[in-house]
């Protein structure tokens, strides 16, 4: 509506309008597990104020959100939880891997840490830093807005499906890859254990 | 006093037990058998002279190389006496397959610590109430902290651990499921976390609720277990400094100082006056930030948004100051063994003076908002009460214990650096509820500001690096121009610092409580065992008990007030 009351028509494709609306009203689902989660809090709070870019309505319900912020180390114990949350989110959805740990495992190349969340879900924007400064975080959100607009093509090269994710997380995959190493290390993984574990996986 | 106590222990407990002193001069008693270990601990606790009534830490290390004698593992208790302010360490050699005996009858706080030892080393504790894995998944095979478990041996699983209540029986259900639509069902299982708005970070609590009353609760942790202790054995002492940042990421400066202090003590290095004051200031600044986060988030959880926004302004100011000191906001890595990474920036004193002048005003404003606020009092008073006896029994420390009336502050009781020359009070509460914890934290922020005020006026001039070839990192300019320094620089970063063999426990009063590092060295640049004694671990153990009988919203208030940091909890 213009000031005199007459209606104005914007010649715009519905798709474009939807993109514009989406990009300016991102609803984040924060998944802050560690240090990066604290920086995420700083970004959301008064000083840096993420709400300037329309992404401040933090909701912990994945079904209402379209931007998953994975901030912090994801351990192998946490990976199934994260994937469940990703699966619960409705399309269209975008994922930000914030910090070195969620992008690649970071400095924690250990027995309990997932080496990057892209093993179990597609990632749109990786934010480097340990933890990234809030400005980096804001830059990532702005970058994501450009992706939503279509100005930057969305990376689709690595898009693990649910099955891929389960394979990446399961014992089955792990056993086939590293069983020899386990036995070499003299640990107590018996063939019986492996076969029962395998049959459990196939039964499921 | 201290010497006579040592003599007493030596005469009383020497029959058949080996008694020695470690590299810091603390007494180490080698127990004869698992039963003897538990009995000695109990004797030391109940003896009117010694009164070692506080179990600081319980851990183990792998003795696969046989240096400490004939046995695969060494089990270690750290005991502390609140009255005598002294420590004693009990050790026990265990062969592969030997069972240890649980000490949780005498020290309730040992429960989770023993579970952790079981998880990491596979040592079985007889008479333990609930011996199962704590950090790793139940389906995990092997024990990761054993020397023969490789650092990178991952064992992922495709699904999360289901609902359980520890060893407490699950309620009878129809076909294994609770009908959530049945409003009057007195046995509804409720899962909070690991991703839940009310649970911070990665904590998970599973409760059995009757209406809104929690009748049974069990915590599941390990969702942020990043193997920091294992990394301590695989990285050099210098490399591991960065991992201390990520323990309690709200107060990484304090962790840096605590760790470097432990290594310096083992090497017999005493740092310069200037570094000492800078480190004290760093620790107090960290305390302020940590308490800001705790109070602000606690208030935010209970609906008081203003506190969060208002406090975070000062947190950002503190972060800007920290950034100017060491170049990072959160993961600081400010200290080095024997010195600091950088000297203070030029404008630091002026900035800090502004901070200590202005920040107390904000504390007063926040106090005006909360301390006499009817809603705040209703939500926090007599909620999540921890009695004094319970606090000692569960080995709680820091602001939580002080709020319960345990007058225990390592800065005063076992002063390190120049705390003995500083003027500050220790805030002690009486009720041990959420409200008291809030008051204690507010007062500690005031006291920290007071310490900062005293420090900022008397920062001594002089070098920040100790003059010791073993640890001093050569000046970058000299590295580029002088051959000797170049070699030294190369050797330092490629080989690392050589720490003499022995073991030592060193701790500081971190914002959350006693943060200790127990280092076992076999010589060389890497630690044989790097144990982090984290305050959050003990606090969360008690949380399981505190929430029972309360309402679900009370659990949220309690959790916010005890300030669990997952990075430190799971390590």
């Amino acid at each position: 509506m213009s000031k005199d009351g007459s209606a104005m028509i914007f010649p715009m494709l519905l798709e474009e309008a939807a993109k514009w609306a989406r990009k300016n009203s991102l609803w984040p689902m924060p998944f802050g597990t560690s240090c990066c989660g604290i920086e995420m809090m700083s970004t959301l709070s008064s000083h840096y104020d993420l709400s300037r870019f329309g992404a401040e309505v933090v909701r912990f319900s994945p079904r209402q959100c379209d931007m998953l912020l994975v901030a912090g180390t994801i351990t192998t114990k946490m990976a199934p939880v994260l994937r469940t949350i990703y699966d619960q989110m409705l399309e269209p959805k975008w994922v930000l891997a914030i910090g070195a740990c969620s992008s690649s495992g970071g400095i924690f190349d250990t027995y309990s840490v997932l080496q990057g969340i892209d093993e179990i879900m597609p990632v749109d924007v990786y934010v480097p830093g340990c933890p990234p400064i809030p400005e980096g975080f804001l830059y990532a959100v702005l970058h994501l807005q450009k992706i939503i607009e279509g100005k930057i093509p969305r990376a689709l090269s690595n898009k693990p499906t649910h099955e891929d994710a389960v394979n990446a997380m399961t014992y089955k995959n792990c056993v086939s890859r590293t069983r020899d190493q386990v036995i070499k290390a003299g640990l107590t993984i018996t063939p019986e254990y492996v076969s029962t574990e395998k049959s459990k996986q196939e039964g499921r | 006093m201290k010497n006579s106590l040592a003599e007493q222990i030596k005469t009383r407990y020497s029959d058949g037990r080996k008694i020695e002193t470690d590299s810091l001069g603390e007494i180490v008693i080698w127990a004869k058998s698992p039963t003897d270990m538990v009995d000695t601990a109990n004797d030391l606790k109940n003896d009117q002279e010694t009164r070692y009534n506080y179990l600081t830490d319980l851990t183990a290390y792998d003795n696969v190389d046989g240096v400490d004698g004939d046995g695969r593992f060494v089990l270690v208790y750290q005991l502390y006496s609140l009255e005598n302010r002294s420590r004693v360490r009990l050790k026990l050699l265990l062969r592969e397959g030997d069972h240890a005996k649980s000490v949780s009858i005498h020290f309730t706080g040992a429960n989770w610590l023993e579970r952790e030892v079981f998880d990491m080393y596979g040592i079985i504790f007889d008479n333990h109430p609930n011996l199962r894995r704590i950090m790793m998944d139940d389906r995990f095979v092997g024990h990761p902290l054993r020397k023969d478990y490789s650092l990178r041996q991952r064992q992922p699983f495709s699904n999360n651990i289901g609902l359980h209540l520890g060893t407490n029986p699950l309620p009878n259900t129809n076909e294994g499921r609770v009908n959530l639509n049945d409003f009057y069902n007195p046995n509804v299982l409720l899962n909070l976390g690991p991703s839940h708005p009310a649970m911070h970070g990665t904590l998970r609590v599973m409760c059995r609720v009757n209406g809104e009353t929690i009748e049974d609760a069990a915590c599941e942790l390990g969702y942020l277990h990043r193997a920091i202790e294992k990394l301590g054995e695989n990285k050099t002492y210098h490399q591991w400094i960065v991992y201390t940042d990520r323990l309690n990421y709200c107060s990484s400066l304090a962790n840096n100082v605590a760790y470097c202090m432990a290594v310096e003590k083992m090497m017999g290095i005493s740092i310069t006056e200037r570094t000492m004051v800078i480190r004290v200031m760093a620790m107090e600044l960290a305390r302020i930030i940590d308490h800001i986060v705790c109070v602000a988030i606690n208030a935010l959880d209970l609906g008081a948004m203003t506190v969060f926004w208002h406090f975070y302004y000062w947190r950002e100011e503190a972060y800007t100051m920290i950034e100017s000191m060491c170049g990072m906001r959160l993961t600081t890595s400010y200290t080095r063994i024997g010195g600091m990474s950088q000297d203070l920036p030029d404008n630091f004193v002026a900035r800090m003076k502004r901070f200590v002048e202005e920040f107390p005003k904000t504390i007063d404003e926040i106090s005006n908002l909360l301390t006499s606020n009817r809603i705040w009092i209703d939500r926090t008073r007599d909620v999540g009460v921890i009695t004094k006896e319970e606090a000692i029994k569960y080995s709680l420390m820091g602001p939580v214990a002080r709020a319960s009336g345990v007058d225990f502050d390592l800065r005063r009781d076992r002063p390190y650096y120049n705390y003995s020359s500083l003027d500050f009070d220790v805030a002690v509460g009486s009720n041990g509820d959420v409200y008291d914890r809030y008051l204690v934290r507010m007062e500690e922020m005031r006291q920290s500001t007071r310490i900062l005020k005293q420090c900022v006026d008397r920062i001594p001039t002089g070098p920040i690096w100790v003059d010791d070839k073993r640890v001093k990192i050569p000046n970058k300019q000299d590295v580029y121009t002088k051959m000797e320094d170049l070699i030294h620089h190369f050797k330092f970063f490629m080989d690392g610092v050589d720490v003499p063999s022995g073991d030592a426990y060193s701790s500081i009063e971190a914002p959350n409580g006693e943060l200790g590092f127990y280092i076992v060295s076999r010589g060389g640049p890497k630690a044989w065992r790097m144990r982090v004694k984290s305050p959050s671990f003990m606090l969360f153990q008690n949380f399981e008990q505190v929430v029972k009988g309360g309402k679900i919203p009370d659990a949220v208030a309690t959790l916010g007030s005890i300030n669990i940091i997952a990075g430190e909890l799971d390590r």
Side-chain angles (χ1 to χ4, degrees):
Chain A
M1 296 275 275
S2 66
K3 274 181 185 170
D4 60 352
S6 62
M8 287 199 299
I9 296 164
F10 289 98
M12 196 188 218
L13 287 170
L14 184 61
E15 197 186 342
E16 295 296 317
K19 275 180 187 169
W20 174 82
R22 274 172 189 162
K23 107 172 195 221
N24 289 311
S25 66
L26 285 165
W27 282 38
M29 159 76 209
F31 199 84
T33 55
S34 54
C35 337
C36 295
I38 304 289
E39 280 300 66
M40 185 168 70
M41 254 158 47
S42 290
T43 317
L44 291 166
S45 67
S46 44
H47 198 88
Y48 291 96
D49 200 8
L50 192 62
S51 63
R52 289 178 290 163
F53 310 102
E56 86 279 25
V57 195
V58 176
R59 286 290 172 273
F60 281 86
S61 165
R63 293 183 205 282
Q64 295 168 6
C65 299
D66 45 16
M67 176 167 69
L68 180 59
L69 305 174
V70 185
T73 317
I74 301 301
T75 58
T76 47
K77 199 173 178 182
M78 188 61 122
V81 180
L82 181 60
R83 180 67 204 193
T84 312
I85 285 172
Y86 177 77
D87 286 338
Q88 282 172 349
M89 285 168 66
L90 301 177
E91 290 281 359
K93 54 189 170 186
W94 296 273
V95 180
L96 256 63
I98 294 154
C101 287
S102 53
S103 303
S104 68
I107 58 173
F108 297 103
D109 185 4
T110 61
Y111 58 83
S112 57
V113 178
L114 191 72
Q115 299 300 296
I117 57 165
D118 49 8
E119 282 186 19
I120 57 166
M121 60 172 61
V123 175
D124 287 291
V125 185
Y126 298 89
V127 191
C130 189
I133 51 172
E135 287 89 342
F137 194 117
L138 293 177
Y139 182 81
V141 174
L142 292 175
H143 191 82
L144 184 70
Q145 289 186 342
K146 281 180 197 157
I147 292 176
I148 297 168
E149 255 180 324
K151 281 185 182 165
I152 298 170
R154 197 175 181 192
L156 292 168
S157 54
N158 180 18
K159 192 168 186 181
T161 60
H162 184 84
E163 202 168 46
D164 289 342
V166 168
N167 276 339
M169 291 187 292
T170 46
Y171 201 80
K172 189 162 72 179
N173 194 322
C174 169
V175 166
S176 61
R177 199 169 16 159
T178 52
R179 189 174 156 226
D180 293 342
Q181 292 171 16
V182 175
I183 291 164
K184 208 188 274 176
L187 293 172
T188 50
I189 292 187
T190 55
E192 291 76 42
Y193 185 90
V194 175
S195 61
T196 50
E197 203 58 43
K198 268 188 176 173
S199 63
K200 263 189 225 164
Q201 291 297 340
E202 280 152 14
R204 193 176 293 137
Chain B
M1 178 63 198
K2 208 176 172 186
N3 280 333
S4 69
L5 196 67
E7 291 298 319
Q8 269 181 22
I9 290 171
K10 268 176 195 163
T11 49
R12 191 169 305 179
Y13 297 100
S14 60
D15 54 325
R17 302 182 190 94
K18 196 167 76 179
I19 294 181
E20 52 188 39
T21 47
D22 71 353
S23 35
L24 303 185
E26 272 162 17
I27 312 156
V28 181
I29 306 173
W30 286 85
K32 290 181 283 192
S33 65
T35 323
D36 182 49
M37 180 89 159
V38 173
D39 291 345
T40 312
N42 192 29
D43 274 0
L44 286 166
K45 177 191 170 190
N46 292 329
D47 192 320
Q48 286 305 315
E49 296 292 323
T50 49
R51 308 249 338 130
Y52 286 103
N53 53 356
Y54 187 88
L55 180 78
T56 307
D57 196 12
L58 190 157
T59 184
Y61 61 89
D62 202 333
N63 186 36
V64 72
D65 56 351
V67 169
D68 282 323
D70 179 26
R72 174 69 201 267
F73 304 107
V74 178
L75 191 65
V76 183
Y77 295 174
Q78 309 274 6
L79 298 179
Y80 180 71
S81 164
L82 290 171
E83 279 98 24
N84 297 327
R85 297 171 181 184
S86 69
R87 288 189 198 290
V88 70
R89 192 177 308 142
L90 281 170
K91 282 189 179 182
L92 173 69
L93 268 170
L94 287 170
R95 286 196 182 80
E96 179 97 58
D98 275 3
H99 287 207
K101 224 178 144 194
S102 172
V103 78
S104 55
I105 326 151
H106 306 308
F107 299 94
T108 321
N111 186 335
W112 277 21
L113 292 166
E114 282 171 353
R115 273 176 70 190
E116 197 191 358
V117 170
F118 165 70
D119 190 359
M120 293 297 155
Y121 288 100
I123 299 172
I124 293 167
F125 289 86
D126 289 336
N127 307 335
H128 190 280
N130 177 20
L131 195 67
R132 53 191 181 83
R133 283 186 186 272
I134 187 163
M135 292 295 175
M136 309 311 296
D137 202 298
D138 287 332
R139 298 161 282 185
F140 195 87
V141 178
H143 299 282
L145 272 181
R146 288 188 179 197
K147 288 284 175 188
D148 55 8
Y149 194 93
S150 119
L151 175 67
R152 297 190 176 83
Q153 180 56 58
R154 282 180 272 278
Q155 297 182 27
F157 300 99
S158 63
N159 51 355
N160 193 9
I161 295 172
L163 268 176
H164 64 82
L165 288 172
T167 47
N168 308 325
L170 287 168
N172 288 327
T173 53
N174 300 329
E175 297 149 16
R177 286 181 73 94
V178 176
N179 185 5
L180 288 170
N181 297 325
D182 182 4
F183 188 76
Y184 296 101
N185 189 337
N187 284 316
V188 172
L189 284 178
L190 182 72
N191 180 46
L192 298 169
S195 173
H196 190 274
M199 289 286 132
H200 305 164
T202 60
L203 315 177
R204 185 182 181 193
V205 181
M206 291 155 288
C207 333
R208 180 163 65 79
V209 289
N210 181 1
E212 249 197 292
T213 312
I214 299 175
E215 300 210 325
D216 224 335
C219 301
E220 177 74 42
L221 48 159
Y223 286 100
L224 196 60
H225 178 69
R226 303 187 275 194
I228 289 185
E229 288 182 1
K230 183 88 176 173
L231 279 162
E233 299 167 8
N234 286 276
K235 303 276 175 190
T236 64
Y237 288 100
H238 180 77
Q239 282 174 329
W240 203 66
I241 293 173
V242 296
Y243 292 97
T244 60
D245 297 334
R246 286 142 184 98
L247 285 170
N248 181 344
Y249 30 77
C250 289
S251 57
S252 32
L253 284 168
N255 306 344
N256 296 157
V257 176
Y259 170 63
C260 284
M261 196 165 92
V263 180
E264 281 155 9
K265 274 185 181 172
M266 285 196 81
M267 297 181 76
I269 294 168
S270 52
I271 53 168
T272 62
E273 286 283 310
R274 185 175 170 80
T275 309
M276 210 178 265
V277 175
I278 296 174
R279 282 188 183 185
V280 167
M281 281 165 64
M283 277 192 282
E284 294 308 319
L285 201 57
R287 193 182 315 280
I288 288 173
I289 304 171
D290 199 279
H291 286 351
I292 285 179
V293 175
C294 177
V295 173
I297 300 290
N298 196 6
L300 182 74
D301 281 349
L302 301 184
M305 272 285 223
T306 323
V307 178
F308 183 75
W309 304 131
H310 208 41
F311 252 159
Y312 260 52
Y313 171 77
W314 283 104
R315 190 165 162 274
E316 287 300 331
E317 284 296 300
Y319 269 158
T320 318
M321 206 142 61
I322 291 169
E323 201 176 3
S324 75
M325 280 153 81
C326 50
M328 266 306 251
R329 285 160 53 86
L330 208 67
T331 45
T332 48
S333 303
Y334 192 30
T335 58
R336 295 286 182 270
I337 297 158
M340 308 298 278
S341 65
Q342 286 155 58
D343 206 342
L344 291 176
D346 297 336
N347 61 351
F348 178 80
V349 174
R351 226 176 203 170
M352 183 55 100
K353 276 189 174 154
R354 182 179 160 254
F355 185 84
V356 293
E357 285 304 317
E358 303 282 325
F359 179 60
K361 291 176 195 162
T362 308
I363 303 181
D364 291 342
E365 280 167 17
I366 301 288
S367 287
N368 288 344
L369 276 173
L370 291 179
T371 308
S372 53
N373 184 328
R374 189 74 245 167
I375 306 169
W376 178 253
I377 291 172
D378 284 349
R379 285 301 304 274
T380 56
R381 191 164 273 175
D382 295 329
V383 167
V385 180
I386 303 171
T387 59
K388 189 178 174 182
E389 290 71 37
E390 211 173 310
I392 295 173
K393 217 168 69 176
Y394 276 94
S395 310
L396 304 188
M397 69 303 279
V400 176
R402 285 196 283 276
S404 304
V406 184
D407 194 2
F408 170 41
D409 190 324
L410 285 171
R411 289 177 295 172
R412 183 201 58 200
D413 296 349
R414 290 170 71 85
Y416 43 93
Y417 295 157
N418 60 351
Y419 272 112
S420 47
S421 68
L422 292 168
D423 189 21
F424 64 96
D425 296 326
V426 177
V428 179
S430 53
N431 295 335
D433 53 8
V434 177
Y435 187 68
D436 270 24
R437 272 168 238 150
Y438 151 76
L439 287 180
V440 165
R441 282 213 160 82
M442 292 298 265
E443 187 53 36
E444 278 189 14
M445 276 194 265
R446 289 200 184 93
Q447 296 300 333
S448 290
T449 322
R450 208 170 132 198
I451 294 174
L452 284 174
K453 210 180 255 175
Q454 291 167 47
C455 286
V456 79
D457 287 332
R458 42 171 140 143
I459 305 174
T461 50
I464 51 166
W465 275 96
V466 62
D467 196 18
D468 191 326
K469 274 276 176 204
R470 288 178 298 168
V471 291
K472 192 180 176 189
I473 301 170
N475 199 353
K476 219 30 184 218
Q477 264 182 330
D478 295 341
V479 173
Y480 290 133
T481 50
K482 291 175 188 160
M483 192 63 201
E484 207 170 79
D485 281 330
L486 176 67
I487 294 167
H488 185 54
H489 188 271
F490 180 79
K491 290 289 276 181
F492 183 88
F493 284 102
M494 298 312 284
D495 294 353
V497 184
D498 187 18
V499 174
S501 58
D503 62 337
Y505 176 79
S506 155
S507 61
I508 64 154
E509 184 70 33
N512 252 349
E514 180 182 348
L515 174 73
F517 287 91
Y518 176 59
I519 304 173
V520 180
S521 169
R522 297 278 205 246
K526 290 177 185 174
W528 181 259
R529 170 80 167 107
M530 184 72 78
R531 163 74 181 166
V532 185
K533 179 252 179 299
S534 69
S536 294
F537 193 75
M538 309 307 285
L539 297 174
F540 200 44
Q541 171 167 218
N542 184 246
F543 175 75
E544 211 175 63
Q545 309 300 324
V546 169
V547 294
K548 277 182 197 169
K551 303 260 190 275
I552 299 166
D554 292 351
V556 176
T558 312
L559 185 73
S561 73
I562 56 177
N563 195 19
I564 308 287
I565 306 288
E568 191 183 56
L569 170 75
D570 295 344
R571 277 156 283 134

